[in-house]
Amino acid sequence: MSDKLRYILALNFIPNVGAVLIKHLISYTGSAEAIFSEKATNLMKIPLIGEKKARDIIRCNALEEADKELKRIEGENIKILFYLDKDYPSRLKHHADAPVLLYVKGTPKFELPRYVAVVGTRMATHYGRAMTETIVDGLQKYNAALVSGLAYGIDTTAHATALDRQIHNIAILGSGLNKVYPSANRSIAEKILNQGGLISEFPMDTGPDKMNFPTRNRIIAGMSDAVVVIESKLKGGSIITAEYANSYNKDVFAIP
């Protein structure tokens, strides 16, 4: 693994600095490596950074964590996509809050003609599952890929239907790739690897923490041309995905 990858991975371990600020830092310093070699006094001069964040960057153990992460990735057939890489998904790249890096496993294609996200309730009815199957089945006709979140309920049905119909299938995780969640969907996740891929922005051993899922949902919305929400409550992950999609000027549809 190259030193460049080490510094890219380290970006994920800087405390209290998200994707937007990291991109801001790189635009001023020139590279991921430069962030960690810069003096605190110079970092403080960068707009929006200030003393506390500059001290956090200088004092954090991000590079040590990156070294551990490199060992976790080794032998796992995982690709790291940096937001400046040419093969980073183009649909995501132009969103300011897109992840700085993605962990990718499997054989996902990011430049197909169409991507449709199908998400919804974890407590799907028979009607909801049937509608999900119908909608996903229809993607085949338009050479559209499926994007979903591998959650219980509607997401599970969407991924399973896409597998049955040989539709390109991308699952965006709210955990690290070593912690596929829920465990009941691990067999589906393994099958997706041969017909698409698993994607996460989180370090490998990140658990399915509640706070990760709203963050994950912006990737589902950003990677898709349209989002279909099936049987969602008025609040919850699916609505967050729809709100992100709407803010990104994507089409949003609903099956009540």
Side-chain angles (χ1 to χ4, degrees), residues 145-180:
L146 171 78
V147 181
S148 194
L150 202 69
Y152 284 119
I154 295 299
D155 292 22
T156 302
T157 301
H159 285 302
T161 305
L163 286 169
D164 288 343
R165 307 298 194 274
Q166 297 293 304
I167 294 167
H168 198 72
N169 203 334
I170 296 176
I172 314 295
L173 305 188
S175 59
L177 295 182
N178 275 350
K179 304 285 184 180
V180 172

Side-chain angles (χ1 to χ4, degrees), residues 91-92 113-121 131-139 143-150 154-159 162 167-172 216-231 237-246 248 250-255:
R91 285 169 172 81
L92 268 183
R114 299 177 181 86
Y115 292 80
V116 175
V118 178
V119 296
T121 181
M131 288 303 300
T132 302
E133 290 173 0
T134 298
I135 289 167
V136 174
D137 185 52
L139 300 182
N143 192 25
L146 171 78
V147 181
S148 194
L150 202 69
I154 295 299
D155 292 22
T156 302
T157 301
H159 285 302
I167 294 167
H168 198 72
N169 203 334
I170 296 176
I172 314 295
R216 178 274 309 270
N217 292 343
R218 84 189 192 288
I219 305 177
I220 295 176
M223 282 194 62
S224 305
D225 301 305
V227 173
V228 183
V229 178
I230 297 180
E231 292 194 318
S238 299
I239 295 300
I240 292 170
T241 305
E243 288 171 345
Y244 273 119
N246 190 54
Y248 296 155
K250 308 294 178 83
D251 291 323
V252 180
F253 303 90
I255 303 294

Side-chain angles (χ1 to χ4, degrees), residues 30-93:
S31 69
E33 182 176 357
I35 291 173
F36 295 101
S37 61
E38 192 62 82
K39 293 179 180 178
T41 51
N42 291 334
L43 290 172
M44 288 178 202
K45 296 174 184 176
I46 298 174
L48 306 178
I49 300 304
E51 184 176 353
K52 184 181 184 306
K53 285 186 171 62
R55 298 294 182 194
D56 284 344
I57 293 166
I58 296 297
R59 294 172 180 172
C60 74
N61 62 344
L63 289 172
E64 290 81 0
E65 291 297 328
D67 290 335
K68 295 175 187 175
E69 190 77 342
L70 284 168
K71 292 178 181 177
R72 295 184 191 107
I73 292 171
E74 193 174 357
E76 292 288 337
N77 293 319
I78 288 167
K79 185 175 183 179
I80 304 298
L81 293 181
F82 188 44
Y83 78 102
L84 295 175
D85 292 343
K86 63 180 181 180
D87 48 355
Y88 187 95
S90 63
R91 285 169 172 81
L92 268 183
K93 185 172 283 191

Side-chain angles (χ1 to χ4, degrees), residues 202-223:
F202 301 108
M204 292 289 287
D205 286 340
T206 304
D209 300 326
K210 187 176 181 181
M211 69 186 76
N212 294 347
F213 291 93
T215 305
R216 178 274 309 270
N217 292 343
R218 84 189 192 288
I219 305 177
I220 295 176
M223 282 194 62

